[in-house]
């Protein structure tokens, strides 16, 4: 039985999206470096087509068995020529270390293989984030390369690893 359910974003997800996108502690591991307004996030939800070929990404809400949203998963930077995409995942702090991320990534792998027909998934993971390295390794991603000074936290540069999963 699946531990989580992945679903499309709904207008009701605005508060969670706002909270996660504006969590400055998460900015060091992603591309965001400015806060987002509720208006911009509302527009993002409204304008998302759910079509990876149009948007070049799919954002999915992660629900637990009780239907509570516990996180967000992204399949982004989709490259239709080479059939690959980047994976990103954020689990609410209070819900971490409960298996939600593992189950969500396993479902993303299955979705990417059977629905999107991708050849590979990849993730950039900070070397100073052993929990995420362990998570991606546990579901079958392999460490492929270390990128020196890849992530900047406003004061220092940090290394990251590229983790890859070949789907076929």
């Amino acid at each position: 039985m699946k531990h989580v359910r992945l679903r499309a974003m709904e207008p009701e997800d605005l508060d969670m999206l706002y909270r996660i996108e504006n969590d400055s502690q998460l900015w060091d591991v992603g591309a965001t470096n400015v806060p987002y307004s509720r208006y911009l996030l509302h527009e993002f939800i409204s304008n998302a087509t759910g079509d990876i070929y149009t948007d070049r990404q799919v954002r999915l809400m992660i629900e637990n068995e009780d239907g509570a949203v516990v996180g967000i998963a992204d399949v982004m930077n989709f490259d239709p020529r080479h059939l690959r995409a980047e994976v990103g995942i954020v689990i609410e702090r209070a819900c971490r270390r409960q298996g939600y991320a593992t189950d969500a990534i396993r479902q993303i792998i299955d979705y990417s293989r059977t629905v999107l027909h991708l050849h590979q998934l990849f993730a950039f993971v900070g070397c100073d984030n052993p929990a995420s390295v362990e998570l991606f390794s546990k579901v079958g991603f392999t460490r492929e390369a270390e990128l020196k000074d890849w992530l900047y936290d406003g004061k220092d540069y940090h290394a990251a690893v590229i983790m890859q999963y070949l789907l076929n």
Side-chain angles (χ1 to χ4, degrees):
M1 180 171 6
K2 298 213 191 288
H3 195 62
V4 299
R5 181 175 85 95
L6 302 179
R7 64 162 176 80
M9 288 183 302
E10 298 288 349
E12 296 79 25
D13 297 318
L14 179 61
D15 288 338
M16 175 159 201
L17 195 60
Y18 182 81
R19 193 169 50 253
I20 286 177
E21 292 291 353
N22 289 301
D23 183 345
S24 61
Q25 292 181 357
L26 297 173
W27 292 354
D28 295 342
V29 297
T32 300
N33 63 0
V34 296
Y36 284 96
S37 70
R38 286 185 184 280
Y39 174 79
L40 283 176
L41 293 172
H42 180 270
E43 290 298 302
F44 175 74
I45 292 170
S46 297
N47 293 323
T49 67
D51 178 4
I52 197 165
Y53 285 92
T54 300
D55 297 340
R56 296 291 194 250
Q57 70 175 9
V58 175
R59 175 161 278 186
L60 300 164
M61 305 308 290
I62 304 168
E63 290 183 346
N64 67 12
E65 305 94 336
D66 299 324
V69 176
V70 296
I72 299 173
D74 288 311
V75 179
M76 58 200 165
N77 296 321
F78 169 62
D79 183 331
R81 176 180 161 97
H82 300 291
L83 296 174
R84 65 178 168 238
E86 182 177 356
V87 177
I89 189 162
V90 175
I91 301 294
E92 290 263 58
R93 278 186 180 78
C95 300
R96 291 179 184 165
R97 296 280 202 205
Q98 297 177 39
Y100 296 130
T102 302
D103 290 345
I105 292 175
R106 284 184 175 139
Q107 288 184 45
I108 288 169
I109 289 168
D110 184 58
Y111 172 73
S112 297
R113 177 184 288 121
T114 61
V115 177
L116 300 177
H117 307 289
L118 296 182
H119 175 63
Q120 61 184 289
L121 295 170
F122 64 94
F124 294 96
V125 182
C127 290
D128 55 357
N129 187 348
S132 289
V133 171
E134 179 186 335
L135 165 69
F136 281 99
S137 295
K138 182 173 24 173
V139 297
F141 279 69
T142 57
R143 289 175 68 129
E144 297 300 331
E146 183 171 317
L147 303 166
K148 304 223 181 306
D149 292 349
W150 193 254
L151 301 170
Y152 183 62
D153 67 9
K155 293 180 184 175
D156 298 306
Y157 288 94
H158 302 273
V161 292
I162 299 175
M163 303 199 68
Q164 182 183 45
Y165 188 100
L166 296 176
L167 294 155
N168 49 24

